[in-house]
Amino acid sequence: MNTEQHLERYRIVGEPFYAPQGGEIELFEAAWRNAIPVLLKGPTGCGKTRFVEHLAWRLKLPLVTVSCHDDLTAADLVGRYLIIGGETRWVDGPLSRAVRAGGICYLDEIVEARKDTTVVIHPLADDRRALPIEKTGELLRAPPEFCLAISYNPGYQSVLKDLKQSTRQRFVSIEFTYPPADLEADIVAKESGLDAANAAKLVKFAGMTRNLKGSGLEEGASTRLLVHAAKLMVAGVAPRAAGRAAIAETLTDDPDMLQAVNELGASLF
Amino acid sequence: MNPRDIEQALDEHLGAVLSSRRTAEAPARGLAALSGKQVEFALHWTEVISKSNSEMAYQFVAHAPRALAALGVEGTRRWLLRALEIYDREGLYPGSAAFADIDSFARERRLQHVAVELSEVQAVLERFIRGLAGRELKIATAADGRARTDTETLFLPPRIHRFDRREMNYRLYKTTAALLWAQTRFGTFRRAAPDAPHLVEHIAALGEQVGDHGRVLRLFNLLETIRLTACFERELPGLFRDMQSFETAAAATPARDATWRHFTVRLQAADATIADTLAATASLYPLQLPWPAAFLYQGELDPAAAQAVSDARVDSERAQLQRLLGELLAAAQGAPGDGDADDEAEQRRFHLRDDPGQDGGIELQLDGEAVSLPPEAAAVLSSLLQDLQQLPEDWLTPAGDGEYPPGRSAEATDATVAPADSPGPGQDDAIFYDEWDFRRRSYRKNWCALRESPAHPLHDDFAALTVEKYRPLVADIRRHFEALRDHDKLLKAQSGGDDIDLDALITARADARAGTEMTSRVFTRKHKAERDLAVVFMVDVSGSTKGWINQAERESLILLCEALEILRDQYAIYAFSGMTRNRCEIYAVKTFAQAYDRDTRARISGLRPQDYTRMGVVIRHLSAQLGRVEARTRILITLSDGKPDDYDGYRGDYGIEDTRQALLEARHAGIHPFCITIDTAAGDYLPHMYGHASYVVVDEVRKLPLKVADIYRRLTS
């Protein structure tokens, strides 16, 4: 098995840009050192995934990210038999691979996955730190470096998709929000190369859309959307057009809301 | 045609009103300058009009050249038809006057295309203003056309047709609303402390000191607009540019005056406040300088209304803040009722600190440590700080879990919904739900008492008759719904999957041995049925459904159940009605657990019109029911015949806003609300409540049974 070689590809080479908001880096490191899994909470596009990438780089660990979706089964995580050249051969799934190599396994939007997946992560997430592989009869013991991180957006998911207490109480939770305005402007400027003045305007625009959350908008513009808009602007798209394409149209289809959001953008640029 | 021929033709038509002093020569000369086609047009109509009245015909032909030049042929035709209409209705004099007044006709015609009505833009402006932030503001029509604000509502004129371009008129609406917003946001009505005088008092004092009160207010408004416009220049340059686009040279004259300029510069500084505007007013007023023209987008100031509204709001928000701080403190100290905690509470202090790091940021501290504010408290606090520069320390004293703050104004609802008979929790089997009061922008706690009971069954042959009556349709529905059916199944011989399909593998190996190519389709895969949905039907059985509507609703339910049984979707049916918030009734026709059997059919048959339609509480109750069902998609379908309406003031905006809020809550909980209505006026309010794509109007009651099952099919496929 060439898992180790394979995992080299999951190492993060350059430092991913991440601007800390509080003590979240120290918190994560402490949890990791004590072999406690981590739950990242927060709205979409506020930097959860980037945070994990940054930590994988800091801790020099390979990072296996799985974006969960509603067809993701336990077998997709753990692994399955494949027929190769007339023989059946076991192939590890992303979770088993990360356990074997002692890396970070990051399950993004965990509540989107099918329910049987949470059962798989339970023994990994408490002090057993083991992954039983039913089909091969193997019991994988996680090395100390292994880290399980999951993310979850408490904002818009339905009650049913709420994370069960039996699951969430195994984790240390770190809450993410949109960064404070000046920090967010810095992030937008760094990520996109946009000048500081326009980045600040974009952040202000995002604040306006966040004011509309709950009165017609499901979610305000995330930092990620701002970076998109900023990149378009750097590429020469006029600010209003960039705001329209990257922010307004992305947030809503409702014509009144769309026009209002566009007007908000236009009032700034 | 030469003038002579034209004159001859006119003589023929107008003979009766011509004399030696009034010949056809002048009009003929006018017509001669026109193109042949236009002359033909004019002569044709002169002849037609002369059949009614020769004087009208003369008036027409006298004005026709100018009309043709201003309005074109089509416009001229409308103009002359309208003049004839007026002649028919009001007589010769108004009729000929209508011919003379080409200009106003032309203007009106133009306006039809370029005027912007408030009703068209209100929804956009409301969201726009809310996005700009600060306190939530409503937009209402100013019947007298005077744009102004009382710090809670922006009053805007019903239409704007100032410019002959639609876009500019819209821009004027937007900037006018924005400036009124800025008055509330950038402190036009803000006071230093609760006991400081209001703007209205400042203006009155100034008026007494230097002269005419009305003129003082006018100057103050002008100077304040200069200050606020500078705020726009700094904060919202896009809007500032829009404002600039109206400005002409008009403002230039007095700006050259050094004194005027001195004050203007002061007002435009970033730290200028209302005190500077007042000072500038006091200094400039006596100087007798000519004032520049008012800004186009500047509304009027109504400081008296602002005072009244602000006083009431400050009082209620202060109580609300203290209550919320009490809750916050209780939460910070753990379980309430703890004896020690009470002692401690008296020593702990809240303190407010301006957070310079953030734009308008405020930080609340508890014993020197920053507290993160729940959104409701943050909103109240920031609203208070919009009214007052500083809050007295004792306003930050937390109150116990006190009463709900009293309403700010004695409005109809508050008067009719007497708090005396407020439902005490735990009387009987009633469940209590909050209700949204859009005027307070908060919930009335445990406001509605809802009781659920089984619907009264009526064992008759209604269901059988309905199926018989719609037999062809039922067959059709069955066929369509069959096609949607789906099951969990194990798919074999797949190219990828969870497990190995041994049968397929053996065949494949055998094939390989025999020398043919080995297939890679050797896996099994679980296919999970996609139709994993639960639906609740919420049927309006208010008094207004009496007769045909009730019959149609019951028939629809029977057909629907027949269809849903085929699909095996999980479904439940509830009917609702009630009278006042203390008696909201909901009747279970079929719960999720119950089967569609004889009894269910009897309960459908037994549905009869009851009282009123209080929708919010029912939506909240059924959303909770839906939340407990396991399904990937959850749908709440309302069958209704009109607006929410209840006996105790639950109507108009109040009812609509509460219903909308309940639907927003449902959406938030992952439920898709949908409405099927037979109210043909539903286009006015349903988009606001349900959203544009989430309702259907069935325009004929009789068609309801034919449509409902089909709508459901389209909705879920």
Side-chain angles (χ1 to χ4, degrees):
Chain A
M1 242 174 268
N2 54 355
T3 311
E4 252 130 79
Q5 267 180 317
H6 195 68
L7 265 173
E8 279 313 303
R9 277 189 268 149
Y10 288 90
R11 280 201 198 277
I12 293 179
V13 189
E15 175 180 358
F17 170 70
Y18 181 79
Q21 289 185 42
E24 70 268 32
I25 292 183
E26 294 73 23
L27 207 59
F28 191 105
E29 286 185 350
W32 172 73
R33 248 178 258 115
N34 287 288
I36 308 172
V38 180
L39 164 64
L40 310 177
K41 292 202 283 188
T44 178
C46 71
K48 300 188 292 283
T49 304
R50 179 60 66 84
F51 172 70
V52 177
E53 284 172 5
H54 180 79
L55 270 138
W57 170 83
R58 257 179 111 84
L59 302 172
K60 301 190 175 53
L61 296 173
L63 170 67
V64 180
T65 302
V66 182
S67 300
C68 300
H69 52 84
D70 48 8
D71 263 341
L72 188 89
T73 61
D76 290 328
L77 285 179
V78 176
R80 55 168 53 100
Y81 278 110
L82 290 183
I83 315 269
I84 295 164
E87 276 174 42
T88 57
R89 188 185 294 174
W90 175 259
V91 176
D92 276 343
L95 183 61
S96 321
R97 220 173 288 157
V99 173
R100 274 189 221 280
I104 298 179
C105 183
Y106 175 51
L107 305 177
D108 196 5
E109 301 283 5
I110 180 79
V111 285
E112 292 293 337
R114 287 221 195 142
K115 294 217 167 53
D116 60 342
T117 53
T118 45
V119 180
V120 179
I121 63 172
H122 276 189
L124 263 181
D126 54 32
D127 53 9
R128 284 174 284 174
R129 285 179 59 88
L131 177 66
I133 301 180
E134 210 184 304
K135 284 186 184 145
T136 61
E138 196 179 354
L139 182 69
L140 278 186
R141 295 219 178 265
E145 309 83 58
F146 170 76
C147 172
L148 181 64
I150 63 178
S151 80
Y152 149 76
N153 178 352
Y156 56 66
Q157 262 106 11
S158 65
V159 258
L160 248 196
K161 284 183 174 171
D162 211 353
L163 211 48
K164 275 187 296 193
Q165 284 296 324
S166 60
T167 305
R168 62 193 299 165
Q169 292 210 7
R170 290 157 197 268
F171 291 81
V172 161
S173 303
I174 303 180
E175 195 189 2
F176 284 73
T177 52
Y178 302 120
D182 34 2
L183 181 58
E184 191 168 24
D186 269 1
I187 294 172
V188 171
K190 277 248 177 53
E191 284 280 291
S192 61
L194 190 67
D195 60 284
N198 274 316
K201 282 186 184 174
L202 273 177
V203 169
K204 208 162 169 185
F205 185 20
M208 291 172 167
T209 65
R210 289 169 200 165
N211 289 335
L212 287 166
K213 183 179 173 177
S215 41
L217 274 191
E218 222 168 290
E219 201 64 71
S222 64
T223 312
R224 175 168 41 213
L225 284 193
L226 299 188
V227 172
H228 289 174
K231 282 181 175 164
L232 292 183
M233 283 160 69
V234 171
V237 179
R240 289 186 187 197
R244 177 182 292 259
I247 297 176
E249 297 282 352
T250 312
L251 287 178
T252 180
D253 298 321
D254 177 72
D256 286 346
M257 184 53 88
L258 202 55
Q259 196 186 342
V261 174
N262 276 325
E263 289 291 359
L264 288 169
S267 73
L268 283 166
F269 289 103
Chain B
M1 255 177 142
N2 67 48
R4 197 167 299 275
D5 294 341
I6 297 176
E7 194 179 337
Q8 214 162 23
L10 288 179
D11 276 341
E12 212 173 287
H13 301 316
L14 303 175
V17 290
L18 297 177
S19 64
S20 58
R21 296 179 58 194
R22 192 202 217 187
T23 66
E25 197 203 327
R29 234 184 302 123
L31 289 191
L34 302 173
S35 73
K37 227 174 169 178
Q38 286 176 324
V39 174
E40 221 171 273
F41 170 87
L43 287 178
H44 165 76
W45 280 103
T46 312
E47 186 185 347
V48 172
I49 299 172
S50 70
K51 303 248 161 69
S52 316
N53 183 296
S54 304
E55 176 60 29
M56 281 294 282
Y58 180 83
Q59 291 296 334
F60 164 70
V61 81
H63 292 293
R66 202 154 66 82
L68 281 164
L71 303 169
V73 170
E74 177 55 27
T76 305
R77 204 173 62 84
R78 284 168 188 272
W79 160 75
L80 74 89
L81 287 177
R82 196 184 63 147
L84 284 179
E85 230 179 85
I86 293 176
Y87 164 76
D88 286 343
R89 213 172 45 231
E90 298 171 34
L92 179 60
Y93 183 71
S96 44
F99 273 136
D101 198 5
I102 297 169
D103 291 342
S104 67
F105 181 81
R107 194 165 55 241
E108 255 174 62
R109 210 171 120 76
R110 217 168 39 237
L111 282 185
Q112 274 180 0
H113 300 292
V114 300
V116 176
E117 306 274 338
L118 180 58
S119 57
E120 300 169 62
V121 296
Q122 182 163 356
V124 171
L125 289 181
E126 265 169 6
R127 289 171 174 82
F128 176 63
I129 294 296
R130 191 168 306 168
L132 288 177
R135 180 185 302 132
E136 213 170 281
L137 295 163
K138 277 179 294 188
I139 290 181
T141 309
D144 54 5
R146 293 159 54 219
R148 64 192 187 279
T149 180
D150 62 5
T151 72
E152 237 167 58
T153 307
L154 308 184
F155 297 94
L156 295 172
R159 76 199 300 229
I160 289 185
H161 48 69
R162 162 97 207 194
F163 296 99
D164 47 14
R165 270 168 54 212
R166 208 182 139 73
E167 179 205 335
M168 289 295 282
N169 287 324
Y170 169 67
R171 189 181 295 177
L172 185 53
Y173 251 130
K174 186 176 66 172
T175 46
T176 306
L179 189 85
L180 294 176
W181 163 80
Q183 289 178 355
T184 72
R185 183 78 174 89
F186 298 119
T188 301
F189 303 106
R190 192 198 227 184
R191 292 173 299 149
D195 46 1
H198 281 278
L199 178 61
V200 64
E201 294 157 79
H202 282 301
I203 298 283
L206 261 179
E208 253 167 55
Q209 211 179 312
V210 294
D212 179 61
H213 177 266
R215 275 174 57 83
V216 168
L217 186 62
R218 204 147 62 82
L219 178 61
F220 173 83
N221 192 9
L222 184 64
L223 293 168
E224 180 68 357
T225 306
I226 292 174
R227 182 178 80 86
L228 295 176
T229 304
C231 294
F232 279 106
E233 186 173 8
R234 284 188 301 273
E235 309 251 333
L236 297 159
L239 266 175
F240 174 70
R241 274 201 309 278
D242 282 343
M243 292 173 167
Q244 290 302 95
S245 70
F246 304 127
E247 289 316 308
T248 49
T253 339
R256 263 184 259 128
D257 180 272
T259 327
W260 187 275
R261 206 170 50 231
H262 166 76
F263 282 106
T264 312
V265 168
R266 175 69 203 110
L267 289 173
Q268 285 169 336
D271 60 346
T273 67
I274 189 71
D276 296 296
T277 318
L278 284 166
T281 311
S283 312
L284 282 169
Y285 188 90
L287 296 184
Q288 309 279 335
L289 291 171
W291 302 342
F295 296 88
L296 259 193
Y297 52 88
Q298 123 186 20
E300 296 190 20
L301 274 177
D302 191 351
Q307 172 191 13
V309 171
S310 144
D311 274 348
R313 181 182 47 231
V314 165
D315 278 351
S316 111
E317 281 178 350
R318 173 190 174 179
Q320 220 176 328
L321 179 68
Q322 290 180 324
R323 179 176 59 83
L324 290 167
L325 290 179
E327 285 174 17
L328 205 61
L329 195 61
Q333 283 168 336
D338 191 336
D340 296 340
D342 282 356
D343 295 338
E344 245 177 81
E346 281 169 24
Q347 291 144 26
R348 306 194 69 171
R349 291 196 98 84
F350 282 101
H351 177 71
L352 215 52
R353 201 177 67 92
D354 285 342
D355 185 356
Q358 280 216 50
D359 170 41
I362 27 169
E363 189 184 277
L364 186 72
Q365 297 182 329
L366 177 58
D367 298 339
E369 264 183 58
V371 190
S372 86
L373 280 174
E376 197 188 349
V380 172
L381 195 57
S382 86
S383 174
L384 270 174
L385 287 171
Q386 262 185 59
D387 280 314
L388 301 168
Q389 241 159 32
Q390 270 190 334
L391 301 187
E393 277 290 308
D394 63 319
W395 286 31
L396 295 173
T397 318
D401 192 20
E403 305 247 309
Y404 198 80
R408 290 184 213 135
S409 44
E411 277 159 298
T413 333
D414 301 52
T416 46
V417 181
D421 61 345
S422 77
Q427 311 174 328
D428 46 31
D429 53 350
I431 311 169
F432 292 89
Y433 287 96
D434 296 352
E435 187 164 287
W436 177 254
D437 184 341
F438 78 105
R439 293 188 208 92
R440 300 173 180 178
R441 288 184 301 271
S442 65
Y443 288 97
R444 294 167 181 242
K445 299 281 172 209
N446 294 328
W447 194 248
C448 297
L450 179 127
R451 289 169 192 82
E452 185 181 323
S453 58
H456 180 71
L458 177 65
H459 289 276
D460 60 3
D461 50 2
F462 174 76
L465 283 177
T466 304
V467 172
E468 188 54 43
K469 179 174 167 190
Y470 294 100
R471 178 160 296 285
L473 181 68
V474 172
D476 213 35
I477 291 175
R478 287 223 170 100
R479 209 181 53 246
H480 279 131
F481 277 63
E482 287 281 2
L484 290 178
R485 220 151 93 172
D486 198 3
H487 306 280
D488 281 1
K489 53 193 166 222
L490 191 65
L491 301 177
K492 298 204 152 195
Q494 299 292 304
S495 51
D498 307 314
D499 238 323
I500 290 166
D501 181 351
L502 279 179
D503 295 339
L505 182 59
I506 291 165
T507 316
R509 293 282 290 161
D511 286 351
R513 284 279 169 84
T516 53
E517 195 183 346
M518 187 179 149
T519 175
S520 59
R521 303 177 67 94
V522 291
F523 296 95
T524 60
R525 188 159 58 86
K526 278 204 199 80
H527 168 80
K528 202 162 158 63
E530 290 293 325
R531 275 196 81 79
D532 181 11
L533 51 83
V535 56
V536 169
F537 290 91
M538 171 178 146
V539 186
D540 178 355
V541 288
S542 59
S544 56
T545 61
K546 202 166 170 178
W548 262 110
I549 301 176
N550 176 266
Q551 162 98 6
E553 280 182 344
R554 288 183 296 138
E555 288 181 357
S556 312
L557 289 179
I558 295 285
L559 297 183
L560 197 62
C561 289
E562 295 286 330
L564 287 167
E565 285 301 311
I566 298 168
L567 283 180
R568 296 184 202 162
D569 287 349
Q570 312 178 64
Y571 69 105
I573 300 171
Y574 291 88
F576 71 98
S577 184
M579 192 192 279
T580 77
R581 66 191 177 90
N582 293 323
R583 201 165 66 72
C584 309
E585 307 281 354
I586 185 159
Y587 307 100
V589 177
K590 178 192 170 304
T591 63
F592 280 112
Q594 282 169 335
Y596 175 61
D597 54 13
R598 231 180 114 254
D599 293 333
T600 304
R601 286 191 279 269
R603 280 190 295 270
I604 293 177
S605 172
L607 285 180
R608 290 293 176 271
Q610 309 278 330
D611 309 311
Y612 289 90
T613 328
R614 199 183 197 93
M615 288 173 77
V617 56
V618 181
I619 292 168
R620 291 187 178 96
H621 180 71
L622 294 180
S623 302
Q625 303 271 31
L626 257 177
R628 285 192 278 272
V629 180
E630 197 154 314
R632 190 184 295 187
T633 310
R634 272 163 291 169
I635 310 173
L636 173 68
I637 300 181
T638 311
L639 228 61
S640 155
D641 75 326
K643 283 184 204 178
D645 177 42
D646 196 359
Y647 181 70
D648 55 358
Y650 192 88
R651 51 182 52 131
D653 285 347
Y654 184 91
I656 287 177
E657 292 299 326
D658 174 55
T659 307
R660 173 179 146 87
Q661 189 69 20
L663 290 167
L664 283 174
E665 291 161 27
R667 247 181 249 274
H668 204 73
I671 292 168
H672 302 279
F674 193 85
C675 181
I676 301 174
T677 185
I678 52 164
D679 183 1
T680 44
D684 296 341
Y685 58 90
L686 276 188
H688 180 61
M689 276 160 49
Y690 282 84
H692 279 279
S694 298
Y695 71 95
V696 166
V697 181
V698 176
D699 49 10
E700 219 181 302
V701 182
R702 278 155 228 249
K703 282 193 196 150
L704 194 65
L706 309 173
K707 293 266 173 121
V708 170
D710 197 46
I711 290 168
Y712 180 76
R713 185 172 61 88
R714 272 186 286 138
L715 188 60
T716 61
S717 56

